[in-house]
C-alpha cells in the first residue's frame, strides 16, 4: 500500500506544481475544487463499496475456490476457472502464490491462463468501485464487452497446449526466478 | 449517482444477511471492509487530487484530437497503452480514468483504457516475472494487446451506433 501511495502522491504533487506554474493558484484551486466535489459526490458510494468488499472477502475464501479449481478440465473448466479468477479476492501478492500452489497438482495450463485472465478482467470485488467512479452504464458496457476475454484466452491456450500442465510449461522458469529471488 | 448507491446498498445488505446466516461472520466482514477503507483512504484522496489536476491540465485540443469519439483508433491505441502505464490499484486508477472520461474521452478510449489497465497494467509485472518468469510476462503482455484493442473497437462501434 505504501508503494502505491508514493506512486500516486508523487505525480499528484508534480501535477499540482505544473498547474501552479501554468495557471497560478487559481488553476490549482480549480483542480482542488474538482477533487473535493468528486470526493463528496462519491463518499457514500465508496463507503457502501467497502462494506460490500468486506462481506465478499469473508464469503469467498481461498478454500472454496481451491475446491472449485481442483478437478477442472474442458470448456466447463474454462468457464469455472474464469469465474473463480473473478471471485478471487486480493491483489497479485495473494493470487499468484495461490495459483502457484497448483503447479505440481497437474492443473491444465489453459485453466491457469483462464484463471489469471479471469482475475485480471472480471475481479468482481472491483465492480462496486468501478460503478461508483466511472458510472454504472459504462461499467456495464465494459464488463459485457470484456466478458468473453478470459474464455477466449482459455480456448486459445487449450488449442495450443491441450495436454500440457502448468508444471510442464512454466515451472522450470518460474522456479528459477523464485530461486533467484530467494538467493538475492 | 443515487441509483448506483441504492443498488450497491441493497447488494451490501443482502450480502450481510447471507454472511450472517451462512458464516455468522458479518461483523468481521464489516470490520474488514472498514479497515480496508481506512487503509485505502490516503490513496483515494491522493488519487482524487491527481484526477482533479489532470482534469484542469489536460488540454481540450488534446482530448478532441487524441481521446474523443472522433479520434477513433488513435484514442483506442492511446487508451490501451495508457492503461498499461497506469500502474496503480483500482482506488487510484478509477478516479484518474474518470477524470479522463469527464474531459471528453470517447467510450472506445475509456473501455480500452480500463481493459489495458486490467490486462497490461505494469503494476502486476513484478509478480508475474517473479512467479512465472520474464518469458511468461512478455508472452501474456503480447497476447493481451489484441483483447484491449478489440474491446476498444467494440465500445467505439457501440458509441457510434447506439449513443
Amino acid at each position: 500500500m505504501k508503494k502505491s501511495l508514493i506512486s500516486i502522491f508523487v505525480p499528484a504533487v508534480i501535477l499540482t506544481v505544473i498547474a501552479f506554474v501554468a495557471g497560478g493558484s487559481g488553476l490549482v484551486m480549480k483542480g482542488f475544487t474538482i477533487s473535493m466535489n468528486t470526493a463528496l459526490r462519491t463518499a457514500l458510494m465508496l463507503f457502501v463499496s467497502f462494506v460490500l468488499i468486506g462481506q465478499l472477502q469473508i464469503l469467498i475464501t481461498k478454500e472454496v475456490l481451491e475446491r472449485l479449481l481442483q478437478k477442472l478440465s474442458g470448456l466447463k473448466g474454462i468457464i469455472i476457472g474464469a469465474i473463480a479468477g473473478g471471485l478471487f479476492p486480493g491483489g497479485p501478492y495473494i493470487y499468484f502464490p495461490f495459483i502457484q500452489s497448483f503447479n505440481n497438482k497437474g492443473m491444465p495450463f489453459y485453466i491457469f491462463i483462464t484463471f489469471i485472465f479471469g482475475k485480471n478482467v472480471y475481479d468482481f470485488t472491483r465492480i462496486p468501485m468501478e460503478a461508483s467512479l466511472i458510472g454504472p452504464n459504462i461499467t456495464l458496457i465494459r464488463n459485457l464487452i470484456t466478458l468473453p476475454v478470459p474464455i477466449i484466452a482459455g480456448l486459445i491456450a487449450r488449442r495450443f497446449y491441450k495436454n500440457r500442465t502448468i508444471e510442464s510449461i512454466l515451472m522450470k522458469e518460474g522456479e528459477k526466478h523464485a530461486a533467484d529471488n530467494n538467493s538475492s | 449517482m443515487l441509483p448506483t448507491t441504492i443498488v450497491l446498498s441493497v447488494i451490501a445488505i443482502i450480502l450481510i444477511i447471507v454472511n450472517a446466516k451462512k458464516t455468522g461472520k458479518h461483523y468481521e466482514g464489516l470490520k474488514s471492509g472498514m479497515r480496508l477503507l481506512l487503509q485505502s483512504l490516503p490513496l483515494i484522496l491522493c488519487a482524487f487530487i491527481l484526477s482533479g489536476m489532470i482534469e484542469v491540465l489536460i488540454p481540450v485540443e488534446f482530448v478532441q484530437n487524441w481521446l474523443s469519439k472522433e479520434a477513433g483508433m488513435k484514442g483506442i491505441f492511446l487508451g490501451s497503452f495508457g492503461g498499461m502505464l497506469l500502474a496503480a490499484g483500482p482506488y487510484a486508477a478509477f478516479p484518474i480514468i474518470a477524470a479522463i472520461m469527464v474531459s471528453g474521452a470517447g467510450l472506445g478510449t475509456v473501455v480500452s483504457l480500463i481493459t489495458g489497465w486490467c490486462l497490461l497494467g505494469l503494476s502486476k509485472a513484478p509478480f508475474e516475472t517473479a512467479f512465472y518468469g520474464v518469458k511468461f510476462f512478455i508472452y501474456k503482455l503480447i497476447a493481451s494487446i489484441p483483447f484491449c484493442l478489440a474491446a476498444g473497437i467494440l465500445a467505439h462501434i457501440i458509441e457510434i451506433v447506439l449513443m
Side-chain angles (χ1 to χ4, degrees):
Chain A
M1 193 66 84
K2 224 179 211 173
K3 248 186 188 171
S4 314
L5 184 60
I6 293 167
S7 72
I8 287 297
F9 181 75
V10 173
V13 171
I14 293 171
L15 284 198
T16 308
V17 172
I18 292 173
F20 184 75
V21 173
S25 56
L27 194 64
V28 174
M29 281 316 291
K30 198 177 165 192
F32 277 129
T33 310
I34 292 171
S35 313
M36 275 288 287
N37 287 341
T38 316
L40 290 174
R41 218 176 45 237
T42 53
L44 184 62
M45 257 190 303
L46 284 174
F47 176 78
V48 177
S49 300
F50 278 95
V51 171
L52 221 153
I53 293 166
Q55 296 301 320
L56 283 175
Q57 279 180 339
I58 297 290
L59 271 171
I60 304 154
T61 59
K62 261 172 138 180
E63 291 71 31
V64 172
L65 293 174
E66 207 168 273
R67 250 181 286 143
L68 208 69
L69 285 171
Q70 207 90 70
K71 288 171 187 168
L72 291 177
S73 65
L75 184 63
K76 194 179 156 196
I78 288 176
I79 294 167
I80 294 175
I83 296 169
L87 286 170
F88 197 87
Y93 45 88
I94 302 174
Y95 71 82
F96 274 110
F98 170 75
I99 196 73
Q100 203 185 33
S101 68
F102 288 93
N103 278 359
N104 51 6
K105 289 179 183 165
M107 181 192 264
F109 178 70
Y110 62 87
I111 302 285
F112 161 80
I113 289 293
T114 315
F115 179 87
I116 298 280
F117 272 77
K119 173 66 190 169
N120 288 172
V121 174
Y122 298 161
D123 202 347
F124 299 118
T125 54
R126 200 174 56 200
I127 291 178
M129 182 71 66
E130 190 176 349
S132 306
L133 294 165
I134 307 289
N137 293 342
I138 293 177
T139 301
L140 182 70
I141 293 172
R142 199 282 294 173
N143 280 287
L144 285 176
I145 288 174
T146 54
L147 194 70
V149 169
I151 315 282
I152 296 170
L155 288 170
I156 294 171
R158 190 178 171 219
R159 169 79 182 78
F160 290 105
Y161 305 103
K162 194 174 181 183
N163 298 316
R164 308 277 299 271
T165 61
I166 314 173
E167 197 176 25
S168 69
I169 294 180
L170 290 171
M171 205 145 153
K172 271 183 188 165
E173 201 190 353
E175 270 181 346
K176 191 177 145 274
H177 278 265
D180 288 349
N181 288 342
N182 288 339
S183 62
S184 60
Chain B
M1 201 72 70
L2 189 66
T4 316
T5 313
I6 294 170
V7 171
L8 289 176
S9 305
V10 171
I11 299 171
I13 292 167
I14 292 170
L15 284 182
I16 291 171
I17 295 168
V18 171
N19 232 340
K21 284 194 173 169
K22 251 188 144 182
T23 65
K25 289 180 180 172
H26 51 296
Y27 282 121
E28 214 174 290
L30 281 172
K31 270 193 229 164
S32 152
M34 289 308 103
R35 211 177 305 125
L36 192 64
L37 173 63
L38 287 176
Q39 276 171 6
S40 316
L41 212 53
L43 192 69
I44 295 171
L45 290 176
C46 274
F48 278 142
I49 293 173
L50 182 61
S51 63
M53 293 305 156
I54 288 174
E55 221 173 305
V56 293
L57 280 174
I58 198 164
V60 181
E61 299 79 35
F62 174 78
V63 176
Q64 277 169 355
N65 292 335
W66 292 90
L67 304 175
S68 68
K69 181 178 154 186
E70 288 71 31
M73 278 308 288
K74 273 190 287 184
I76 293 164
F77 268 105
L78 216 66
S80 299
F81 293 102
M84 181 167 91
L85 298 174
L86 202 59
Y91 314 122
F94 284 129
I96 295 168
I97 297 169
I100 294 168
M101 192 179 80
V102 169
S103 306
L107 186 64
T109 306
V110 173
V111 167
S112 60
L113 189 59
I114 300 174
T115 314
W117 169 74
C118 289
L119 282 173
L120 312 172
L122 288 177
S123 58
K124 291 184 283 279
F127 299 95
E128 286 176 354
T129 48
F131 282 95
Y132 290 105
V134 181
K135 212 165 133 187
F136 169 74
F137 166 69
I138 293 170
Y139 280 14
K140 185 189 162 263
L141 195 77
I142 293 169
S144 300
I145 292 170
F147 289 120
C148 303
L149 298 177
I153 291 167
L154 259 172
H156 183 62
I157 293 168
I158 290 173
E159 190 177 29
I160 289 172
V161 176
L162 299 176
M163 292 176 163

